Amino acid sequence: MKKRKLGESLEVSAIGLGCMGMSDFYGRRDEAEAIATIHRALDLGVDFLDTADIYGVGRNEELVGRAIKGRRANVVLATKFGNVRNANGTFQGVNGRPEYVRQSCDASLRRLGVDTIDLYYQHRVDPNTPIEDTVGAMAELVREGKVRYLGLSEAGAQTIRRANAVHPIAALQTEYSLWSRDAEDEVIPTVHELGIGFVAYSPLGRGFLSGKIRSIDDLEPDDYRRNSPRFQGDNFARNLALVDEIRTIALEHRCTPAQLALAWVLEQGQDIVPIPGTKRRTFLEENLGALAVHLTNEDMGRIDRVLPPGAAAGERYPAQGMRALNR
């Protein structure tokens, strides 16, 4: 497995594994297959696992904890705090207060069954709490040995600078893919400048770029993507046409659309690590095939012409979710 570095010291597999869908948001769950998928990832050298305290309202951390039991030494474990949900799954808001940071960390450690979290992210920036206060509390966790490295998710460029001045930030996690490229404007240049790694979540556009979703009816009734602007109405049809363009290029490279989309993200820089999510071993293995796809400068230019920044129809999230981005 190829390796990449986040920040100055945190080395991880070049492709990680997003575990969210194993417990939440993407329809039915099969915990046995999910755990088998994590085990297969570890067997194949994928050591970078990503979860969060809100995924399944804690259930995903518990699942990941069970899966890595006895294999902790082979895992770079990342989780997040800050998004707050009620027990029934409804969202309460964002909390970055120092006392909540400590409370969340202790709860995550218990659910994961570990003594230390390798990479601890603030999931969304709390507009009512200075980032200096939040990161200051996170830094205390590092000093106490509960956390090794710090991260932020969907933070704006100035917030990243302010946070990094309090304590080194190892990684910034933000959505990034062929159809979500707004991070290229300010965020990616900022993290490059500061020596912060970039973790790309949803690098397959929540599965759309895989080419496997051809109709909204391909999604289960309780799949949250049914409420995503890019999966609705005319947006769906317009985005499907973009995927068909990618499929054409993928066929020429004898790879799948998903592999081409991941290879494109990997080509953006050695400090960028995509974490495609899956809950099945077959898709995990397909995704890892992206590491064998070589894209030339000519290929990258052609892809850029087919899917330039802003090509996707619809926003990344509904209006409420969009307000929490780039703070």
Side-chain angles (χ1 to χ4, degrees):
M1 173 58 66
K2 298 175 183 178
K3 296 283 189 175
R4 293 192 168 189
K5 194 172 284 188
L6 300 175
E8 294 185 359
S9 305
L10 182 57
E11 190 175 71
V12 300
S13 52
I15 293 180
L17 175 60
C19 299
M20 179 190 78
M22 298 174 178
S23 304
D24 212 350
F25 298 112
Y26 288 173
R28 73 186 69 178
R29 297 177 289 278
D30 181 340
E31 292 201 351
E33 176 61 19
I35 289 175
T37 300
I38 293 173
H39 288 168
R40 182 62 175 152
L42 297 176
D43 291 342
L44 293 172
V46 176
D47 60 10
F48 189 32
L49 304 183
D50 183 89
T51 181
D53 60 2
I54 67 158
Y55 299 161
V57 196
R59 292 191 305 274
N60 193 243
E61 287 184 326
E62 292 170 349
L63 182 148
V64 171
R66 292 195 299 275
I68 66 173
K69 190 172 183 179
R71 305 185 69 168
R72 177 67 180 94
N74 301 320
V75 176
V76 178
L77 186 58
T79 192
K80 315 176 198 72
F81 76 94
N83 279 334
V84 186
R85 291 173 79 183
N86 294 312
N88 65 2
T90 56
F91 282 87
Q92 286 185 307
V94 178
N95 191 338
R97 294 194 298 272
E99 62 274 18
Y100 186 75
V101 175
R102 177 172 296 277
Q103 171 190 331
S104 297
C105 180
D106 289 342
S108 288
L109 288 169
R110 286 193 300 272
R111 285 189 293 265
L112 291 162
V114 300
D115 298 322
T116 305
I117 296 164
D118 296 306
L119 177 58
Y120 199 42
Y121 295 99
Q122 182 184 21
H123 208 159
R124 292 291 186 271
V125 175
D126 180 356
N128 299 312
T129 302
I131 193 64
E132 291 82 359
D133 293 352
T134 302
V135 175
M138 295 168 72
E140 289 181 9
L141 299 174
V142 175
R143 288 190 286 271
E144 294 171 10
K146 294 181 177 182
V147 170
R148 292 178 62 215
Y149 296 96
L150 303 185
L152 302 175
S153 180
E154 291 286 4
Q158 292 308 310
T159 298
I160 296 167
R161 292 183 184 280
R162 289 168 55 195
N164 196 59
V166 175
H167 187 279
I169 301 299
L172 184 282
Q173 181 177 141
T174 287
E175 183 174 353
Y176 187 52
S177 70
L178 279 168
W179 75 348
S180 295
R181 298 179 59 178
D182 44 300
E184 293 176 352
D185 295 336
E186 291 187 342
V187 169
I188 290 179
T190 298
V191 297
H192 282 334
E193 176 192 337
L194 297 175
I196 297 170
F198 186 92
V199 175
Y201 79 82
S202 291
L204 296 178
R206 295 176 176 80
F208 205 111
L209 297 174
S210 71
K212 295 180 175 68
I213 302 171
R214 307 299 298 176
S215 162
I216 195 68
D217 293 327
D218 290 334
L219 303 177
E220 295 179 37
D222 60 345
D223 192 312
Y224 99 105
R225 288 173 291 186
R226 285 178 171 269
N227 298 313
S228 173
R230 292 184 177 177
F231 286 77
Q232 295 179 332
D234 291 342
N235 290 344
F236 190 103
R238 291 169 59 189
N239 291 327
L240 196 60
L242 296 176
V243 172
D244 288 341
E245 295 280 357
I246 292 301
R247 184 191 300 277
T248 299
I249 301 174
L251 285 172
E252 295 173 11
H253 283 78
R254 298 182 180 179
C255 67
T256 67
Q259 290 168 341
L260 186 82
L262 288 171
W264 180 89
V265 173
L266 289 164
E267 286 289 338
Q268 301 305 313
Q270 287 296 312
D271 56 352
I272 294 180
V273 177
I275 52 167
T278 184
K279 49 189 177 180
R280 298 183 181 90
R281 284 167 285 181
T282 53
F283 294 152
L284 166 75
E285 293 171 4
E286 177 186 346
N287 291 342
L288 293 181
L291 293 166
V293 177
H294 174 65
L295 298 177
T296 65
N297 290 337
E298 182 180 351
D299 293 327
M300 295 295 284
R302 180 182 175 190
I303 293 169
D304 199 53
R305 290 190 294 274
V306 171
L307 265 84
E315 297 283 9
R316 291 203 272 139
Y317 289 95
Q320 182 178 356
M322 291 298 296
R323 287 194 289 271
L325 307 181
N326 202 37
R327 284 175 170 166

